[in-house]
Amino acid sequence: MSNDAKVLQRNGPVAHIDLASIVHNCRVVRDAAPNSQIMAVIKADAYGHGLGQVARTLSPHVDALAVARVTEACELRDVGIEDAIIVLQGFASRSELDQCIEGGFLPVIHSDAQVGMMLTEPEYPVWLKVDTGMHRLGLRPSQLMEVCPQLNVIGVMSHLANSDQPDHPLNAAQLEAVQSCTEGLPYPLSLANSGAVLSMPDCHLDWVRPGVMLFGSSADGRQDDRLRESMSLSAPILSVQLLDEGDRVGYGSTWTAEERCRIAVVGVGYADGYPREISHAEVQTHLGRRTVVGRVSMDMLTILLRDDDAFKVGDRVTLWGEGLSISQVAMWAGTIPYTLMTGLAGRVHREYAD
Ligand SMILES: Cc1ncc(COP(=O)(O)O)c(C=O)c1O
């Protein structure tokens, strides 16, 4: 890419990824679950942070990496990652099973169809997933005693439906179910994702599977002081407009100036992953918080300036990150940090700092 193209890219939205924060958050996992191995969940492009970069950063600090799909595991091998890779959804076809074997991926077997396919490769190591109450993916607990002797099982996992609510009664029931259906079996167990790593030590078991906490957010959307947010999204001011009283702004003309004022047009929109449905929202600027007015459009949004604001074209504002947590923005948008991180578009330039 030419230097000119690079400069132009920086003039658009940029996701600043702080790799040191990801390492810090990984240490928080170690401290919280010192007797468990860590399977870092980095599916969905490492929650929008960039699969290869995050895998390389985490590799020395974790015991295995986990992704949802075989294609994601292949992507990791293609960029030279040699770690153990668990594929949480396992394979969907014979050819995907072959890809697992070729890449040395460890598939998670959750269905009768996968068990049937695995019977042709009984020596190949697999994890089993058991459904203890999420009722999404997983073998029935009663199947384990029959399935286990037929395959080379190296671990059994289950997934919590309510790890964002530590007091939810299903958490204890799921823990009890995974322990009782594997009683007498010699396999390592795994149940805890981020919510349980942070607040349910009983669920840590042999392997923890943190995802969102590695990127500084907690499962319940509240900020946890132990964690550092790893992503900050900024975008440039494209234009400053003077409005008269009564002027309306943006698609649908939903916002009306109550008096003569100025707005700034910021170069980021829903096609970049900024949520269009957000009701109230603020951005962080070098002069403090400013409010988003009018509808978020595909590539732009507008903010209301104060009388003496000296913004100029090219100044950058922060959509989330330094001074404005992603959890807060997610709350304004009626969503969770997961969707903002993973919804960040491919066209947003990622800039990495160690
Ligand atoms: C099976 C499994 N384990 C672990 C995780 C990580 O969850 P979290 O990001 O809440 O830590 C996920 C994420 O959805 C998952 O599907």
Side-chain angles (χ1 to χ4, degrees):
M1 188 187 298
S2 71
N3 278 344
D4 281 356
K6 273 189 195 149
V7 169
L8 282 177
Q9 222 168 15
R10 301 242 164 73
N11 280 340
V14 174
H16 309 265
I17 312 285
D18 183 24
L19 297 171
S21 293
I22 297 175
V23 173
H24 166 88
N25 296 330
C26 191
R27 290 207 186 98
V28 174
V29 177
R30 268 289 172 231
D31 290 347
N35 301 317
S36 306
Q37 302 208 72
I38 301 178
M39 188 188 295
V41 178
I42 55 168
K43 58 193 175 137
D45 198 30
Y47 289 53
H49 288 66
L51 188 60
Q53 288 275 7
V54 171
R56 272 190 286 277
T57 300
L58 283 174
S59 172
H61 305 281
V62 301
D63 304 289
L65 302 170
V67 289
R69 300 181 183 154
V70 174
T71 47
E72 295 176 305
C74 291
E75 210 180 308
L76 283 171
R77 286 283 184 258
D78 287 347
V79 296
I81 301 297
E82 293 176 354
D83 299 58
I85 301 173
I86 288 96
V87 182
L88 294 169
Q89 293 182 3
F91 46 84
S93 61
R94 176 72 224 190
S95 70
E96 280 203 348
L97 170 53
D98 290 340
Q99 281 179 293
C100 285
I101 295 170
E102 205 175 304
F105 312 143
L106 301 168
V108 179
I109 304 300
H110 58 76
S111 71
D112 293 341
Q114 290 174 327
V115 172
M117 275 192 262
M118 257 351 272
L119 292 177
T120 63
E121 306 285 348
E123 303 301 323
Y124 195 76
V126 293
W127 277 79
L128 292 187
K129 185 169 198 178
V130 60
D131 177 15
T132 56
M134 175 78 132
H135 299 308
R136 206 175 53 170
L137 298 182
L139 301 171
R140 289 184 305 284
S142 59
Q143 288 181 274
L144 286 205
M145 291 301 168
E146 184 199 333
V147 169
C148 287
Q150 305 184 66
L151 304 180
N152 180 12
V153 177
I154 58 164
V156 175
M157 68 170 67
S158 192
H159 197 44
L160 291 167
N162 299 282
S163 72
D164 54 340
Q165 303 168 65
D167 297 331
H168 195 290
L170 191 56
N171 294 323
Q174 288 195 261
L175 174 60
E176 146 60 25
V178 78
Q179 284 176 319
S180 66
C181 75
T182 51
E183 208 173 325
L185 296 174
Y187 312 122
L189 301 181
S190 175
L191 183 61
N193 57 351
S194 296
V197 170
L198 288 170
S199 38
M200 291 180 234
D202 289 352
C203 294
H204 290 170
L205 306 176
D206 302 295
W207 283 83
V208 291
R209 305 192 311 270
V212 78
M213 70 176 290
L214 295 171
F215 307 105
S217 290
S218 54
D220 61 9
R222 268 177 277 153
Q223 204 44 41
D224 188 300
D225 289 344
R226 290 170 284 182
L227 302 175
R228 289 191 203 150
E229 288 189 0
S230 53
M231 180 193 285
S232 172
L233 177 65
S234 76
I237 289 178
L238 303 179
S239 144
V240 175
Q241 301 280 358
L242 185 61
L243 301 183
D244 285 326
E245 182 188 335
D247 282 350
R248 290 158 188 253
V249 173
Y251 286 120
S253 307
T254 56
W255 186 82
T256 308
E258 287 174 3
E259 56 190 356
R260 214 171 136 76
C261 63
R262 282 177 313 138
I263 54 163
V265 182
V266 180
V268 65
Y270 62 78
D272 300 300
Y274 193 86
R276 181 182 183 275
E277 34 307 304
I278 205 154
S279 45
H280 166 82
E282 293 166 19
V283 302
Q284 185 69 30
T285 76
H286 65 282
L287 297 175
R289 295 273 185 94
R290 295 294 178 268
T291 305
V292 176
V293 293
R295 279 197 191 144
V296 174
S297 49
M298 191 182 289
D299 320 294
M300 286 172 265
L301 55 78
T302 37
I303 57 173
L304 180 61
L305 303 185
R306 298 192 182 154
D307 286 347
D308 50 353
D309 276 353
F311 286 109
K312 54 184 191 319
V313 169
D315 285 349
R316 297 194 75 86
V317 308
T318 298
L319 288 311
W320 60 71
E322 194 62 43
L324 177 54
S325 86
I326 193 169
S327 311
Q328 173 65 77
V329 179
M331 215 176 308
W332 284 328
T335 185
I336 49 179
Y338 296 71
T339 64
L340 297 184
M341 290 178 193
T342 60
L344 202 64
R347 75 174 181 172
V348 175
H349 179 70
R350 269 73 165 172
E351 208 164 79
Y352 292 92
D354 293 325

